[in-house]
């Protein structure tokens, strides 16, 4: 059934709160926010999923979970956690028992089951983006790349049991992996650069703002047509 794009359901009329200070400033005279900008992100996405990508240790799970909880109407899923529950073993154990190729196959199967849902924030494995079939599924939503320097990541996960870093020089390995995946990572819809010392809350705030700006810069085709018609003094739906 055709849906009238001028209806309130199709266009909830929610604006970018960062461009409308009255939505954010409290009337009590303190520094608290009237509305959490993440809460206003949900209606603007209209069910579109968010996929967090980036290297291991970049904070995809913690940041993605916080963003989802702040949005209120979205659920959070972690592909690694789902895989571990399905396999009945940890990621390092899967690598040791089955090998990386078997892990990648299982990872793709998890994404197959996840991407059919709506209103979810998904944290993905660092190497998931390298398979074209996975990347095409991520394109059904908005992709957020958490960009963190390898040196900062190593400080976070030093002494890790992560399978791909069980080498003589983990930092060098991490740098190489980052370079190999860089081209795909940088195709994300939104890139959020994370500096050392930023808290999870800081990163989540930065993600929310970047997503609001992305929606402003990339309106649906019907909304562009509506705006053009209005500018031309026309009633675009006859």
């Amino acid at each position: 059934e055709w849906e009238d794009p001028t209806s309130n359901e199709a266009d909830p009329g929610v604006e970018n709160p960062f461009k409308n200070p009255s939505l954010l400033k409290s009337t009590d005279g303190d520094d608290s926010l009237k509305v959490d900008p993440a809460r206003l992100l949900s209606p603007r996405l209209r069910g579109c999923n968010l996929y967090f990508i980036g290297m291991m240790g970049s904070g995809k799970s913690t940041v993605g979970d916080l963003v989802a909880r702040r949005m209120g109407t979205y659920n959070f899923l972690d592909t690694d956690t789902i895989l571990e529950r399905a396999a009945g073993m940890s990621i390092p154990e899967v690598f040791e028992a089955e090998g990386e190729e078997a892990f990648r196959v299982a990872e793709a199967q998890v994404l197959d089951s996840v991407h059919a849902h709506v209103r979810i924030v998904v944290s993905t494995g660092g190497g998931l983006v390298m398979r074209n079939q996975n990347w095409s599924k991520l394109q059904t939503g908005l992709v957020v790349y958490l960009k963190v320097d390898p040196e900062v990541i190593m400080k976070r996960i030093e002494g890790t049991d992560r399978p791909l870093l069980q080498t003589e020089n983990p930092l060098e390995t991490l740098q190489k992996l980052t370079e190999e995946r860089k081209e795909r990572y940088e195709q994300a819809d939104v890139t959020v650069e994370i500096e050392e010392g930023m808290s999870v809350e800081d990163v989540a705030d930065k993600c929310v703002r970047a997503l609001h700006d992305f929606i402003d810069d990339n309106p649906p085709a019907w909304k562009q047509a509506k705006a053009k018609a209005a500018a031309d003094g026309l009633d675009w739906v006859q």
Side-chain angles (χ1 to χ4, degrees):
E1 182 180 354
W2 180 78
E3 196 174 274
D4 180 359
T6 64
S7 69
N8 290 334
E9 183 176 352
D11 180 9
V14 178
E15 300 177 11
N16 184 338
F18 296 102
K19 296 180 180 178
N20 187 349
S22 65
L23 292 175
L24 295 180
K25 290 183 178 178
S26 172
T27 57
D28 298 332
D30 56 25
D31 294 331
S32 63
L33 297 180
K34 183 190 296 185
V35 179
D36 185 343
R39 185 74 60 164
L40 299 179
L41 189 58
S42 298
R44 300 194 79 203
L45 287 170
R46 293 187 294 149
C48 179
N49 293 338
L50 297 179
Y51 294 98
F52 280 79
I53 66 171
M55 289 298 295
M56 62 184 86
S58 60
K60 301 183 296 291
S61 297
T62 51
V63 173
D65 182 41
L66 178 56
V67 169
R69 284 189 283 112
R70 285 177 54 184
M71 288 173 69
T73 58
Y74 271 57
N75 293 315
F76 174 72
L77 296 174
D78 185 317
T79 57
D80 281 351
T81 299
I82 294 172
L83 194 156
E84 288 180 329
R85 288 175 180 169
M89 60 182 84
S90 68
I91 298 299
E93 290 171 338
V94 173
F95 265 79
E96 184 176 355
E98 307 290 343
E100 182 177 358
E101 181 59 26
F103 169 77
R104 297 301 176 194
V105 170
E107 185 178 54
Q109 291 172 343
V110 169
L111 183 61
D112 280 343
S113 65
V114 165
H115 102 284
H117 297 275
V118 295
R119 292 184 176 84
I120 54 174
V121 177
V122 183
S123 168
T124 65
L128 180 143
V129 298
M130 298 306 290
R131 289 195 170 208
N132 289 333
Q133 68 187 72
N134 294 340
W135 186 248
S136 65
K137 291 181 176 64
L138 298 185
Q139 296 306 294
T140 62
L142 289 184
V143 182
V144 181
Y145 168 35
L146 299 186
K147 184 176 182 179
V148 190
D149 288 338
E151 293 77 11
V152 174
I153 291 177
M154 278 308 303
K155 290 180 181 179
R156 294 180 177 181
I157 63 175
E158 194 169 1
T160 180
D161 63 349
R162 296 175 189 252
L164 296 180
L165 296 186
Q166 302 309 303
T167 62
E168 291 184 3
N169 191 331
L171 176 57
E172 185 178 294
T173 302
L174 187 62
Q175 291 169 331
K176 182 179 178 182
L177 285 171
T178 301
E179 188 61 31
E180 289 174 354
R181 299 169 181 176
K182 178 180 177 181
E183 183 177 355
R184 183 55 59 83
Y185 283 157
E186 293 183 346
Q187 293 177 38
D189 299 301
V190 172
T191 295
V192 176
E193 296 192 11
I194 302 174
E195 300 173 0
E196 187 174 8
M198 289 180 68
S199 68
V200 175
E201 291 76 14
D202 290 338
V203 178
D205 286 342
K206 199 170 182 179
C207 289
V208 169
R209 180 159 196 159
L211 285 163
H212 273 297
D213 290 342
F214 178 84
I215 294 170
D216 279 354
D217 295 339
N218 298 272
W222 66 261
K223 184 170 283 191
Q224 296 181 54
K226 182 179 179 181
K228 183 178 185 303
D232 293 341
L234 302 174
D235 182 3
W236 87 293
V237 177
Q238 299 295 333

